[in-house]
Amino acid sequence: MTEDEKAKILGKKPTAELFYRLDDYKYSNTPKSRILSGIRELDYDIKGFEMGCITIWTGFTNAGKTTIMTMLAKKTIDQGERIFFFNGEQTKEDFKNNLYIQASTTRDLEIKQFRSSCVFDTFVREEKAVELEKKYGDKIYIYNNEVSKDINTLLFAMEELRKTQKINVFFLDNFMQIDMKNDNVFQEQTEIMEKLRTFAVNKKVHIHLVAHPRKIERVQTRLTLYDIAGSSNIVNKAYNIISILRVDTIKKEDKEYKKLEEELLKEGYDINNTSTVLEVLKTKGERCGLVALKYDKSLKTYTEVPKITSEEYEKRIHTAKTSEKEEIPWKMNYTN
């Protein structure tokens, strides 16, 4: 129990100030602390991952959520940070191998056949693994899944690492892997989310939280804020919410594909050169929008798709008008 909680029970004045006058504190023109994703358009949209916030990542099964998390973990470390990673489903060995593959080139990889079968696995060559061990060995702390995964134990570990290892960025993959002990699941989810948000705000850290979508009966390719599984408070308490969509899950003849193609073109991207789309569903940053990525299967990572030129854009608009014989009601959105 805090001193303020004790004071409230005893009917005494709280120890902390209840209000401030505007001139009690100085105006600050120092930019907020943040980590960049390395994906330029995403960083523009959400203004980077600010400290004191939670970013929720969602998407259907196999959309690439864990791959994105691993990639962001690497980008975070490259900016001088240490990180904490909670892997509810992925083994620590798989996480390490995937991270090392992403941090390598194709020359650093070796393919091993399982017995005499058609099954092959990718690994990093021994000399590269030694190099990466020195680079990342003391920069990443992974939660031990053999201990309790309740929120209080998890937060204790996070606070311990924040204080002792100066870790400010935490990856939780995923929300549903945190142990629930209450019969009222929605209530407990609300309490867990409130504890995570309080930790992020009070300790000035950033939490990347993976949350699966709820089961959707109707045919649907793109997610909305209302499709995230669990209590509505999960969505309400997040600073950013980003959905991950694989383009190859949509049939080209479907209306949804055509709509996505038009929206990507508005953002300056060619859907034919896109394998995955990040859709910013909520942010307190600059804007919501789409970011096109290309997946490199060999290195298990993503790069942002280059935007088309304004000349190419006008050419496509003219082609669309000619073929459809109608006005196109949207214009390209230049943010750069």
Side-chain angles (χ1 to χ4, degrees):
M1 184 179 295
T2 65
E3 291 301 317
D4 285 347
E5 289 171 337
K6 293 177 182 177
K8 184 177 180 180
I9 293 174
L10 296 174
K12 297 180 179 179
K13 178 184 176 181
T15 56
E17 293 294 337
L18 297 180
F19 49 82
Y20 297 97
R21 202 173 75 175
L22 186 62
D23 58 2
D24 283 342
Y25 56 96
K26 293 182 179 180
Y27 171 74
S28 174
N29 60 359
T30 303
K32 294 181 178 179
S33 296
R34 53 171 60 89
I35 297 296
L36 300 177
S37 69
I39 303 171
R40 188 173 186 275
E41 195 67 18
L42 178 63
D43 288 330
Y44 171 82
D45 287 350
I46 66 174
K47 301 181 75 170
F49 301 111
E50 293 183 6
M51 296 301 170
C53 305
I54 295 178
T55 295
I56 287 180
W57 297 84
T58 191
F60 291 112
T61 302
N62 294 326
K65 299 184 290 296
T66 298
T67 300
I68 289 284
M69 291 301 98
T70 308
M71 185 180 81
L72 289 177
K74 175 183 174 297
K75 293 289 184 180
T76 301
I77 294 168
D78 290 345
Q79 293 169 69
E81 295 285 339
R82 293 181 174 186
I83 68 162
F84 168 84
F85 216 105
F86 169 72
N87 273 311
E89 298 176 350
Q90 190 181 31
T91 67
K92 60 183 185 296
E93 290 81 11
D94 284 342
F95 170 75
K96 193 169 191 176
N97 189 46
N98 290 333
L99 173 73
Y100 281 11
I101 290 174
Q102 287 190 2
S104 302
T105 66
T106 52
R107 296 189 302 272
D108 300 317
L109 305 181
E110 60 179 352
I111 310 298
K112 292 188 176 182
Q113 184 180 19
F114 180 72
R115 295 176 184 168
S116 299
S117 70
C118 59
V119 177
F120 296 85
D121 293 304
T122 302
F123 298 96
V124 172
R125 297 185 186 279
E126 185 175 351
E127 57 273 20
K128 184 65 176 181
V130 172
E131 174 190 328
L132 294 174
E133 193 83 4
K134 294 179 180 178
K135 181 176 182 179
Y136 296 115
D138 64 343
K139 304 294 192 303
I140 303 175
Y141 288 78
I142 304 169
Y143 192 75
N144 181 7
N145 284 334
E146 295 181 5
V147 301
S148 174
K149 292 187 286 186
D150 67 277
I151 186 60
N152 292 328
T153 306
L154 184 59
L155 283 172
F156 180 86
M158 292 165 66
E159 173 61 6
E160 186 71 12
L161 289 172
R162 187 194 69 83
K163 291 190 299 184
T164 63
Q165 303 301 325
K166 299 182 179 180
I167 290 178
N168 297 312
V169 183
F170 299 81
F171 293 82
L172 306 183
D173 184 8
N174 62 70
F175 185 78
M176 294 305 174
Q177 291 299 313
I178 300 175
D179 291 340
M180 305 282 178
K181 298 180 179 180
N182 194 328
D183 290 336
N184 189 333
V185 177
F186 283 172
Q187 179 183 342
E188 185 164 9
Q189 288 176 344
T190 297
E191 293 173 355
I192 290 174
M193 194 63 187
E194 181 59 40
K195 288 181 178 180
L196 289 173
R197 181 178 179 275
T198 299
F199 181 78
V201 172
N202 291 349
K203 307 301 182 181
K204 294 181 173 57
V205 302
H206 195 96
I207 297 176
H208 292 279
L209 179 63
V210 175
H212 290 317
R214 67 177 80 253
K215 292 183 179 179
I216 301 173
E217 295 182 1
R218 63 188 176 87
V219 177
Q220 181 176 334
T221 55
R222 292 167 69 180
L223 298 172
T224 69
L225 295 177
Y226 307 103
D227 295 321
I228 296 176
S231 166
S232 61
N233 285 285
I234 297 176
V235 170
N236 295 337
K237 297 184 185 301
Y239 191 92
N240 306 305
I241 299 180
I242 304 170
S243 174
I244 305 172
L245 169 68
R246 279 178 52 175
V247 174
D248 62 3
T249 61
I250 314 174
K251 295 180 180 179
K252 289 189 175 182
E253 58 269 22
D254 289 352
K255 292 182 179 179
E256 284 294 317
Y257 185 90
K258 182 64 176 177
K259 182 180 178 181
L260 181 63
E261 182 179 21
E262 291 178 353
E263 291 186 23
L264 282 172
L265 183 57
K266 180 182 176 182
E267 298 282 358
Y269 297 111
D270 181 0
I271 195 171
N272 297 308
N273 195 31
T274 302
S275 56
T276 298
V277 176
L278 300 182
E279 182 167 12
V280 180
L281 301 175
K282 174 186 175 182
T283 184
K284 294 182 180 179
E286 196 69 35
R287 62 186 286 272
C288 293
L290 304 176
V291 181
L293 303 179
K294 189 76 173 179
Y295 182 61
D296 185 327
K297 187 176 180 180
S298 61
L299 296 177
K300 298 183 179 181
T301 193
Y302 295 92
T303 55
E304 186 174 359
V305 173
K307 290 197 173 187
I308 62 175
T309 63
S310 56
E311 292 79 10
E312 178 64 20
Y313 172 78
E314 294 298 335
K315 179 180 178 181
R316 294 190 182 208
I317 293 299
H318 177 74
T319 302
K321 286 181 179 180
T322 304
S323 61
E324 297 180 11
K325 296 182 179 180
E326 62 180 18
E327 291 295 320
I328 306 299
W330 35 266
K331 297 294 182 182
M332 187 172 182
N333 179 22
Y334 286 100
T335 58
N336 298 330

